[in-house]
Amino acid sequence: MSLIKWVDFQILGDERGSLVALETDRAVPFEIKRVYYIYRTAENVSRGFHAHRNLKQVAICVAGRCRMVIDNGYVREDTWLDCPTKGLLIESMVWREMHDFSPDCVLLVLASEHFDESDYIRNYETFLEAATQ
Ligand code: T46
């Protein structure tokens, strides 16, 4: 089964343009406790390289594009994030890496928890041990 799980957002557009609303338990399958965005990523920079023990997130590229690698310890897949009406659901205990950011990329992330550094697993071997036990 694929690790790539998309959440499709309704486009509330009219002749003036498009609008997407992100609501807890409607468009997004958890209570949103935090929102952050990554932008102006320098050329050839990759980010991520960690997993979260409990955190769930939905990542949406609201401008530009980047490539997301996700890995559950058994399967590694990648996909382009390049559409403001689709979010990638990233479950807990999934390793993620972000590559190939376009200069205009704005990656918006909705998170199920407040920031907590102790929730991060930043070593791949530690992640593999925990994910495959
Ligand atoms: C993820 C991917 C998609 C905070 O203080 N608060 C926050 O809410 C976040 C997200 C980060 N930070 C601090 C922690 C670091 O000192 O900002 C710094 C950069 O964070 P990090 O190196 O973890 O950034 P990325 O781009 O590697 O990963 C981020 C998220 O941390 C992570 O949860 O899934 O984006």
Side-chain angles (χ1 to χ4, degrees), residues 36-41 47-48 98 101 105-109:
Y36 61 91
Y37 44 94
I38 294 166
Y39 65 108
R40 290 193 200 147
T41 303
R47 305 188 61 126
M98 294 94 81
F101 287 86
C105 180
V106 180
L107 182 64
L108 178 75
V109 184

Side-chain angles (χ1 to χ4, degrees), residues 38-39 41 45-50 96-99 101:
I38 294 166
Y39 65 108
T41 303
V45 163
S46 294
R47 305 188 61 126
F49 299 95
H50 58 257
R96 82 286 320 268
E97 300 170 9
M98 294 94 81
H99 304 280
F101 287 86

Side-chain angles (χ1 to χ4, degrees), residues 34 36 38 47-48 50 52 55 57 96 98 109 115 117 120 122:
R34 178 166 53 107
Y36 61 91
I38 294 166
R47 305 188 61 126
H50 58 257
H52 288 280
L55 187 71
Q57 301 192 109
R96 82 286 320 268
M98 294 94 81
V109 184
F115 179 73
E117 184 60 45
Y120 283 71
R122 293 192 183 270

Side-chain angles (χ1 to χ4, degrees), residues 28-99:
V28 179
F30 50 73
E31 184 190 350
I32 301 165
K33 290 201 180 152
R34 178 166 53 107
V35 177
Y36 61 91
Y37 44 94
I38 294 166
Y39 65 108
R40 290 193 200 147
T41 303
E43 206 180 345
N44 297 323
V45 163
S46 294
R47 305 188 61 126
F49 299 95
H50 58 257
H52 288 280
R53 296 176 198 280
N54 296 313
L55 187 71
K56 292 180 186 166
Q57 301 192 109
V58 170
I60 309 146
C61 216
V62 294
R65 69 177 194 165
C66 68
R67 187 170 59 85
M68 179 81 79
V69 173
I70 53 176
D71 174 343
N72 67 357
Y74 298 97
V75 179
R76 175 173 276 245
E77 292 182 76
D78 74 335
T79 188
W80 285 98
L81 299 188
D82 57 6
C83 176
T85 63
K86 276 168 68 166
L88 181 69
L89 177 61
I90 309 171
E91 303 279 6
S92 53
M93 288 308 290
V94 169
W95 185 264
R96 82 286 320 268
E97 300 170 9
M98 294 94 81
H99 304 280

